Amino acid sequence: MAHLALDKKLIEQCRNFAIRIAQPVEKLIDTHTTVAIERAVLRLLGVEKAVFQGGGKSSGENSVQSIPEVNLIIEDLRREGALGNGVLHWFVNGMIQTKMPVQELATAVALRKVNLLKLEKAPQEAVRAKATELCMKAKDFLISQRELRDQHRKGQGKDKVKDPFDPEGKNGPLLYVIVATGNIYEDVIQAKAAAQAGADAIAVIRSTAQSLLDYVPHGATTEGFGGTYATQENFRIMRGALDEESKSLGRYIRLTNYCSGLCMPEIAALGAMERLDFLLNDAMYGILFRDINMKRTLIDQHFSRLIIALSRIVIHTGEDNYLTTADAIENGHQVLASQFINERFALHAHMTEDLMGLGHAQEMDPEHMNVFLLEIARAQMTRDIFPKAPIKFMPPTRHKCGDIFYSHLMDAMFNFVGVLTGQTIQLLGMATEAMHTPLLQDRWMSIKSAKYIFNGAKDLGKDIEYKPSGIIENWGAKVLQDTHAHLEMIEKKGLFKAIEERAFAEVKRTETGGKGHDGVIARAPDYLNPFFELL
């Protein structure tokens, strides 16, 4: 594979900047929890029912209008100022005193038949021992689900399958497409059709603005907006459908969903429990593009990544969004700076490099002179700096218009850059991108075009070299130098202050502003959550 002659010392210094940028945030993470983390803890223990609004009953039936029991339990504790101890401090004591199993007690507390704060206190050692036992059982379940997923990837007996995943991009990019009907059952039909056309991974686009909901909708859903709600039951339905299709096709089909927003830790837990392969999970996306509080997002991303690391789910970070907001030529260094910071936070959560699907995108103005060379430079630079990461490459969207023929050509050039530079995961663009949800024929056409390019130029990257001090190499060097300066600035100001001063994507946020700030809780001295030690 051809490589750029990048300054290795500069790369090392960028990583050192990222370490120092992350350190104050890591101290914040280690001393705080959030309502979403505490809800995720209950979900990991097996609490999955909901209470219907106005009905007063708790049920496992499907309803977007129902309130999850975990929300009712955590909100009552938060309102009473008791959440700093951790939900397990109260909930496990409740199990000991009432002798109820997890789900039975959860339902009783959600319906306010049991008040956790008014029960007698069992010895702290007994509560901690029981909590550790429950968390260890939950961890074992996640490991068993991870192993079951991996068995499906390898295939068994007559159900032998081929797993096309190649983290280092040696065999060409993975064909990754989206479904977004709003109805999980229609999504299944479209996902199977995409797999039959050659797709390797299916992303179920999440319903518009679900990231701003401070709860996870319950059950199977059929009325999303611009996508389908991310719920445990929807994960289960799509995973089962793709397992079935994988056996039929003889090759494993990966499943992707979105692990961001106010319920980030819960989505990570549900994704791990239901055997997802990929989760979109970024350290700063929610801050910049959904105006979610800085502290809430950065604390939540850590716990979510602990779960993801254990389950060996590949994350996709969201740097591509920077380039749909700010100019891609002038601000490309912000993408690389964010990738270094995302890498640092992932390492803090025990993630290995082969799980870090760092994101970037082809979003430069197509009218710019030599834009194709500049896009190659940025793509190759990303591949070279993060050689073990399963890089995710996003298609052009910002400069697309109603001319579907020109859009299809832009996607073809994007696919050519992907195979040339050894990208791992290629989200295929659609001719009707930005006009409406892609139709079956759009997806088929995109897959057919990508397969032609990936096959026809499969080994081109191995057969060329970049001209020393040429346009491509010089642009890569410039972006790296700009990134170095940007990270140095962020380290001096601190991450929170830098974001407040528009360090990324020209977006301004404040430390105490944004949604979900009231859900950040300082841990009490006796805070109890064995998952932090076990994951």
Side-chain angles (χ1 to χ4, degrees):
M1 178 66 69
H3 298 284
L4 299 177
L6 299 171
D7 188 331
K8 293 183 180 179
K9 288 185 178 179
L10 215 57
I11 295 171
E12 182 181 358
Q13 289 170 9
C14 286
R15 285 198 162 95
N16 288 334
F17 282 137
I19 290 171
R20 293 192 290 273
I21 289 167
Q23 283 172 346
V25 180
E26 290 167 358
K27 290 179 182 178
L28 174 74
I29 289 167
D30 294 339
T31 56
H32 289 75
T33 186
T34 73
V35 291
I37 289 174
E38 301 305 318
R39 295 194 303 252
V41 166
L42 290 178
R43 288 188 180 277
L44 287 168
L45 264 55
V47 179
E48 63 175 20
K49 290 187 177 182
V51 174
F52 287 99
Q53 290 180 332
K57 68 172 183 175
S58 184
S59 173
E61 297 175 27
N62 303 332
S63 174
V64 179
Q65 301 301 319
S66 54
I67 305 174
E69 290 179 344
V70 296
N71 282 75
L72 294 167
I73 295 168
I74 297 304
E75 183 55 28
D76 280 351
L77 291 175
R78 188 195 67 80
R79 191 181 301 111
E80 295 297 324
L83 203 55
N85 305 96
V87 65
L88 292 183
H89 175 91
W90 305 104
F91 192 83
V92 174
N93 181 71
M95 292 180 65
I96 293 172
Q97 300 296 355
T98 65
K99 295 183 172 53
M100 291 181 181
V102 170
Q103 184 59 70
E104 183 180 346
L105 177 60
T107 298
V109 175
L111 296 178
R112 293 179 174 159
K113 294 179 179 179
V114 171
N115 187 328
L116 294 175
L117 301 180
K118 292 185 177 180
L119 297 174
E120 288 187 29
K121 295 288 182 66
Q124 189 173 1
E125 296 78 11
V127 174
R128 181 169 291 278
K130 180 65 174 177
T132 301
E133 176 191 334
L134 290 168
C135 292
M136 193 66 223
K137 182 179 178 182
K139 177 183 176 181
D140 289 343
F141 176 70
L142 294 184
I143 292 172
S144 71
Q145 289 297 87
R146 180 190 74 197
E147 292 174 347
L148 177 59
R149 180 199 62 206
D150 292 347
Q151 288 172 11
H152 279 286
R153 287 179 182 170
K154 296 175 183 178
Q156 297 177 324
K158 63 182 178 61
D159 297 322
K160 289 288 184 183
V161 297
K162 177 184 177 183
D163 185 353
F165 189 53
D166 171 31
E168 297 183 20
K170 293 177 181 177
N171 298 321
L174 214 64
L175 278 70
Y176 177 110
V177 299
I178 64 173
V179 296
T181 69
N183 181 324
I184 187 60
Y185 301 107
E186 293 293 330
D187 280 349
V188 164
I189 295 171
Q190 294 223 2
K192 286 189 171 186
Q196 292 163 17
D200 301 309
I202 306 295
V204 181
I205 298 296
R206 192 166 55 177
S207 185
T208 300
Q210 186 182 340
S211 61
L212 301 183
L213 299 180
D214 215 343
Y215 68 94
V216 178
H218 184 72
T221 64
T222 58
E223 295 182 349
F225 304 93
T228 305
Y229 285 101
T231 75
Q232 183 171 8
E233 183 61 20
N234 285 349
F235 289 175
R236 189 177 293 140
I237 290 169
M238 185 60 80
R239 179 69 274 169
L242 292 184
D243 285 346
E244 181 181 273
E245 196 62 34
S246 296
K247 292 178 182 179
S248 175
L249 296 173
R251 56 187 181 83
Y252 184 77
I253 309 300
R254 280 172 159 72
L255 175 58
T256 307
N257 217 290
Y258 291 68
C259 182
S260 61
L262 290 167
C263 294
M264 191 190 303
E266 292 176 89
I267 296 294
L270 299 178
M273 293 162 73
E274 300 304 331
R275 300 184 286 113
L276 270 66
D277 302 278
F278 297 149
L279 284 170
L280 277 73
N281 179 269
D282 188 277
M284 296 186 290
Y285 170 87
I287 300 168
L288 299 171
F289 303 106
R290 292 294 180 265
D291 193 20
I292 296 173
N293 177 256
M294 294 184 193
K295 292 180 179 179
R296 173 74 177 267
T297 297
L298 290 166
I299 296 167
D300 279 348
Q301 64 84 29
H302 177 70
F303 191 71
S304 69
R305 288 181 176 186
L306 289 174
I307 297 168
I308 288 167
L310 176 73
S311 299
R312 294 201 57 76
I313 294 170
V314 172
I315 63 170
H316 299 155
T317 59
E319 285 83 6
D320 56 283
N321 291 277
Y322 298 3
L323 303 183
T324 59
T325 304
D327 183 82
I329 294 175
E330 294 181 2
N331 295 285
H333 63 283
Q334 295 180 6
V335 169
L336 182 55
S338 178
Q339 288 167 336
F340 279 121
I341 294 171
N342 251 313
E343 178 188 54
R344 180 61 244 165
F345 283 128
L347 289 170
H348 183 231
H350 314 308
M351 294 190 73
T352 52
E353 292 176 78
D354 60 334
L355 299 179
M356 300 179 198
L358 302 171
H360 64 126
Q362 184 160 306
E363 292 287 5
M364 295 183 189
D365 185 347
E367 300 299 322
H368 191 281
M369 184 66 68
N370 283 324
V371 65
F372 192 52
L373 279 69
L374 305 187
E375 294 284 15
I376 290 172
R378 277 203 34 255
Q380 189 66 62
M381 175 194 70
T382 305
R383 179 73 281 170
D384 290 348
I385 293 174
F386 306 100
K388 296 181 180 179
I391 302 298
K392 183 187 176 188
F393 198 17
M394 297 287 287
T397 58
R398 181 177 181 179
H399 295 282
K400 283 194 170 184
C401 62
D403 185 342
I404 62 172
F405 302 104
Y406 188 54
S407 291
H408 194 51
L409 176 60
M410 290 176 70
D411 291 333
M413 298 295 279
F414 158 73
N415 289 332
F416 186 78
V417 174
V419 71
L420 171 67
T421 58
Q423 303 302 302
T424 313
I425 303 164
Q426 193 94 350
L427 175 55
L428 303 187
M430 307 290 167
T432 50
E433 185 75 52
M435 291 174 63
H436 58 69
T437 300
L439 303 175
L440 284 169
Q441 186 68 12
D442 300 332
R443 203 175 288 112
W444 173 85
M445 185 169 65
S446 293
I447 293 170
K448 183 178 181 180
S449 173
K451 289 173 73 173
Y452 163 62
I453 295 168
F454 292 171
N455 180 67
K458 182 178 182 295
D459 294 315
L460 180 61
K462 301 175 184 177
D463 212 44
I464 66 168
E465 294 179 355
Y466 297 116
K467 178 182 176 181
S469 299
I471 294 173
I472 293 174
E473 194 163 279
N474 284 345
W475 187 257
K478 178 187 184 303
V479 173
L480 178 58
Q481 289 166 358
D482 291 346
T483 300
H484 183 274
H486 200 60
L487 287 169
E488 185 175 23
M489 176 275 292
I490 295 170
E491 189 221 344
K492 289 178 180 177
K493 293 185 176 181
L495 183 58
F496 290 169
K497 184 65 175 176
I499 292 175
E500 186 175 338
E501 296 183 4
R502 305 178 190 274
F504 296 101
E506 303 299 326
V507 175
K508 174 183 173 65
R509 302 295 184 217
T510 62
E511 187 173 339
T512 57
K515 304 169 184 69
H517 182 251
D518 60 347
V520 177
I521 314 291
R523 296 189 201 176
D526 59 349
Y527 176 75
L528 179 60
N529 186 350
F531 280 121
F532 279 109
E533 289 78 43
L534 294 175
L535 290 176

